[in-house]
Amino acid sequence: MNALWKASLVNHQQPMTAAAELLRDSQNVVVFTGAGASAESGIPTFRDDDGFWREFPVDEFATWPGLVRTAISCPRRVAEFAYAVLHPIASAKPNAGHVAIADLERHVRVIVVTQNIDGLHGEAGNTIVHEIHGSLFEVVTLRGRFVKLLSRRRLLKMSAALDKARRGWLCLPRTLLAIRPWLGLVLRGVHRPKLVLFGDAMAGPAWSQSLNAVRNCDCLIQVGCSGVVWPAAQLPQTARATGARVISIDPQRTAGDVWLRGTAAEILPALVQRAFGAE
Ligand code: APR
């Protein structure tokens, strides 16, 4: 189906019908997700009214130097922040949106590119997931070399210890003890969670694999991304520049050839159902 025909199709049909048509006509699909994809699993987004950065300012919490400065000046704030990040992720389960993305693999080739650090796409069953901002479950050396993976059970234990540390005495030593599985603090040096904070290089090799995937896809579904953080925000444009069509799913209007207004857990199952019915 040539691009022109596709464009007129997109403009003239109900968005859901147009999106389902695009998906059915695709072989290689990239699903690009942001915090909105996990909101219905109980994990706050970053920039919505109840978003993380509303309560924890970016300059204090979104860079490693900022975190170290805040840990020295006000350890309880860092314990609060670590708990606010860790607890919802440790206790989260894939929502209907994650499940639909995994289900999509039965119909087309799917590569998931996610900005999320919550591990929910893998847990829902997707086989290829590129975590471009890292993962809360992966521990690396300060230079980024792999050390180990932590289980969700381990993260739950860490968040319970953090909950006590943020409320009690000796907050800093107890916080460091609670997050020790991330930090190591043994003879072999200091470790850290594999997270990409502002100013960091993107997580290798996930980033180069993601660029390759979007350049070779024929449809990109963007789910719950505000599109304000670079270089991740370039991915939909890179896909379009190589001829792919972009479907965006978000309660707010976001860029794309077809915008499906609504939440991930509502729209994704309906889209997969509309595109592939009971196949
Ligand atoms: N379903 C779908 N989309 C949703 C839902 C939902 N249930 N709830 C909110 N959204 C949308 C919002 O409208 C918004 O467009 O999800 C988007 C969330 O935007 P952000 O909070 O900016 O999150 P994200 O785009 O993932 O942020 C990018 O910024 O802070 C850094 O590293 C962090 O990976 C993150 C990056």
Side-chain angles (χ1 to χ4, degrees):
M1 191 186 292
N2 67 38
L4 207 60
W5 164 235
K6 267 190 193 174
S8 67
L9 182 77
V10 169
N11 296 335
H12 291 80
Q13 282 182 318
Q14 284 300 314
M16 183 59 93
T17 311
E21 190 101 26
L22 287 179
L23 199 46
R24 230 182 348 261
D25 283 340
S26 303
Q27 269 92 46
N28 290 300
V29 175
V30 165
V31 182
F32 174 48
T33 66
S38 295
E40 291 150 290
S41 295
I43 303 172
T45 65
F46 292 92
R47 293 171 186 82
D48 287 312
D49 292 345
D50 60 348
F52 277 118
W53 301 145
R54 302 274 175 198
E55 192 187 345
F56 299 102
V58 163
D59 57 345
E60 291 172 46
F61 295 97
T63 64
W64 294 110
L67 271 175
V68 172
R69 263 198 317 273
T70 313
I72 294 165
S73 62
C74 185
R76 199 170 300 283
R77 282 289 278 154
V78 168
E80 293 285 359
F81 173 69
Y83 180 76
V85 171
L86 187 54
H87 182 66
I89 289 180
S91 34
K93 295 200 170 18
N95 62 52
H98 295 107
V99 174
I101 298 169
D103 188 39
L104 191 54
E105 278 197 20
R106 292 190 302 119
H107 308 286
V108 289
R109 187 164 183 276
V110 175
I111 294 177
V112 176
V113 174
T114 186
Q115 299 179 85
N116 301 340
I117 58 175
D118 55 38
L120 292 174
H121 289 299
E123 206 157 307
N126 276 104
T127 46
I128 306 176
V129 181
H130 300 316
E131 298 170 310
I132 58 175
H133 288 166
S135 164
L136 219 46
F137 298 80
E138 193 169 336
V139 178
V140 293
T141 63
L142 292 186
R143 287 173 182 276
R145 194 168 42 76
F146 177 81
V147 174
K148 64 184 170 188
L149 282 177
L150 301 175
S151 66
R152 201 172 286 280
R153 228 166 87 87
R154 190 70 183 277
L155 290 196
L156 268 172
K157 277 199 190 134
M158 288 164 66
S159 96
L162 260 177
D163 190 22
K164 292 199 186 94
R166 76 191 173 116
R167 298 164 191 279
W169 297 97
L170 304 170
C171 179
L172 185 56
R174 291 174 75 182
T175 300
L176 291 175
L177 268 180
I179 60 175
R180 196 166 152 212
W182 275 336
L183 298 182
L185 300 181
V186 286
L187 297 173
R188 283 174 295 128
V190 179
H191 303 152
R192 64 177 175 84
K194 184 180 181 177
L195 298 179
V196 174
L197 299 186
F198 289 120
D200 291 351
M202 296 297 271
W207 180 239
S208 52
Q209 289 164 337
S210 302
L211 284 171
N212 193 40
V214 297
R215 288 187 184 121
N216 294 292
C217 71
D218 34 33
C219 178
L220 182 141
I221 308 176
Q222 171 176 304
V223 186
C225 302
S226 58
V228 298
V229 170
W230 291 76
Q234 76 176 76
L235 294 175
Q237 291 163 24
T238 305
R240 289 189 89 202
T242 45
R245 312 302 304 191
V246 173
I247 299 167
S248 73
I249 298 173
D250 199 299
Q252 313 288 334
R253 182 177 282 283
T254 40
D257 297 289
V258 185
W259 168 47
L260 301 178
R261 180 186 208 144
T263 73
E266 285 164 5
I267 300 285
L268 281 161
L271 175 60
V272 175
Q273 172 65 22
R274 177 71 74 86
F276 302 105
E279 278 179 40

